[in-house]
Amino acid sequence: MSSEFDRMWGALDPVGRVGNGGYRRFAWTAEDHTLREWFAGECAARGLDLVEDRMGNQWAWWGDPDAEGRGLAIGSHLDSVPDGGAYDGPLGVVSSLAAVDALRDSGFRPARPIAVVNFGDEEGARFGVACAGSRVITGAMTADRALSLTDADGISMAQALRAAGREPSRIGRDDETLRRVGSFVELHVEQGRVLADLDPATSAVAVGTDIWPHGRWRIDLPGVANHAGTTALADRSDAMLSAAQVVLGARAAATANGCVATTGKLQVEPGGVNAIPSHVRVWLDARGADEAAVRATVDAVRREAERLGGTLTEESWTGTTRFDGDLALRLRDALDPQTPMLGTGAGHDAGVLATAGIPSAMLFVRNPTGVSHSPEEFAERDDCLRGVDALTTVVRELTS
Ligand SMILES: [Zn+2]
């Protein structure tokens, strides 16, 4: 098993890797295509039946998905944020394939079908909406909205799909796929350092309990373009100064409300070094354990934006997502009653499926740096293999 894990990990290592050691694996790009082909190849080598759903998510079935008893899906995603780490997503996909290997090597015969899934466009790095693959098939995002999203180059998702050989009119809610999925377990690298601070002997793997409420908002701030050398400071209307106030305001509001807020992306028009910005778009990501506190944070940013003549538009919002409590306890008991139970501030496809009524659960693998969405993201190889063991145990428990 471990050598197969290493082989798969090694094959993914160079795909979309950039100079700083991070990854750029964005939806419907050449890198994404390579990853999909890799996944298809691994599934074919295992004799799994690969089906692409109405949003391009890849489901590889062990057993007849339409047979008696709805299937157990395991998996994650292969795409990344800009300069993301190697583990966020791929660890779950590779571990799922390795778990299938381990079960087969032991002669196990599942009583219900098992799918390994590779969800597309989980990070939303290109089109701005996270979990686009699972949101569309569950109906949480309409096909019209998805197709009209645009990337930084103005390419719509519809155009990107067509360029990748997919038919945009085909995308949408996919009840046939959902009907096949009785439950979903996503293994994921931990994106904080709770486990790293616990007893090292019992904390390589945790079971997920819930996902914090979270959302994304776009703030549009106006200004007037003019010459950087000949326009007196007093005569300027500089959208970047407004952006600076909004960024600092978001930080202050998050601090006051006990949440987290991030402004990690800006668009500046006209975007010249010697031109006063006429328009700045700032994207806000806000999350927290408490919904009302996140809402209060965003409301404060909205008031600040409006005071500056701008607007704040909600691009996505997901309330608290609780994973299936019974399923989580079943996972914990199958592993070890001492297994830690963790909530997380990161969104996942498992959360989207849970919201759609599919009993879902997560396993988290210890990350000693606690860092994610960065090249520093890490998990020890031994912990990765413990994660595979845990997933194998869970799949056996749920499909016996
Ligand atoms: Zn992820």
Side-chain angles (χ1 to χ4, degrees), residues 222-227 231 235-239 270 275-279:
V224 177
N226 210 332
H227 195 287
T231 314
D235 294 339
R236 298 181 183 205
S237 172
D238 185 338
I276 296 165
S278 60
H279 193 117

Side-chain angles (χ1 to χ4, degrees), residues 77 88-89 122-123 188 348:
H77 61 95
D88 177 354
E122 195 274 345
E123 300 287 6
H188 205 278
H348 298 285

Side-chain angles (χ1 to χ4, degrees), residues 324-351:
D324 188 283
D326 292 339
L327 185 59
L329 289 177
R330 204 169 156 196
L331 262 54
R332 187 194 66 181
D333 291 344
L335 296 173
D336 178 336
Q338 301 300 315
T339 303
M341 309 284 278
L342 285 191
T344 174
H348 298 285
D349 292 309

Side-chain angles (χ1 to χ4, degrees), residues 72-84:
L72 168 67
I74 54 176
S76 192
H77 61 95
L78 294 173
D79 67 319
S80 79
V81 296
D83 297 357

Side-chain angles (χ1 to χ4, degrees), residues 227-361:
H227 195 287
T230 59
T231 314
L233 290 178
D235 294 339
R236 298 181 183 205
S237 172
D238 185 338
M240 186 59 81
L241 292 184
S242 299
Q245 292 185 54
V246 163
V247 168
L248 292 171
R251 171 68 177 231
T255 304
N257 289 292
C259 307
V260 291
T262 307
T263 43
K265 180 174 161 180
L266 288 183
Q267 266 180 11
V268 184
E269 291 172 11
V273 176
N274 55 0
I276 296 165
S278 60
H279 193 117
V280 177
R281 278 183 205 95
V282 183
W283 277 266
L284 169 71
D285 177 307
R287 314 173 191 219
D290 179 61
E291 280 191 23
V294 179
R295 285 296 188 189
T297 300
V298 175
D299 285 343
V301 176
R302 182 195 307 277
R303 285 195 297 275
E304 179 71 357
E306 289 174 352
R307 190 181 68 75
L308 297 162
T311 57
L312 178 144
T313 307
E314 184 169 292
E315 293 196 334
S316 69
W317 165 253
T318 309
T320 304
T321 305
R322 299 202 190 289
F323 292 125
D324 188 283
D326 292 339
L327 185 59
L329 289 177
R330 204 169 156 196
L331 262 54
R332 187 194 66 181
D333 291 344
L335 296 173
D336 178 336
Q338 301 300 315
T339 303
M341 309 284 278
L342 285 191
T344 174
H348 298 285
D349 292 309
V352 176
L353 265 56
T355 302
I358 295 174
S360 298

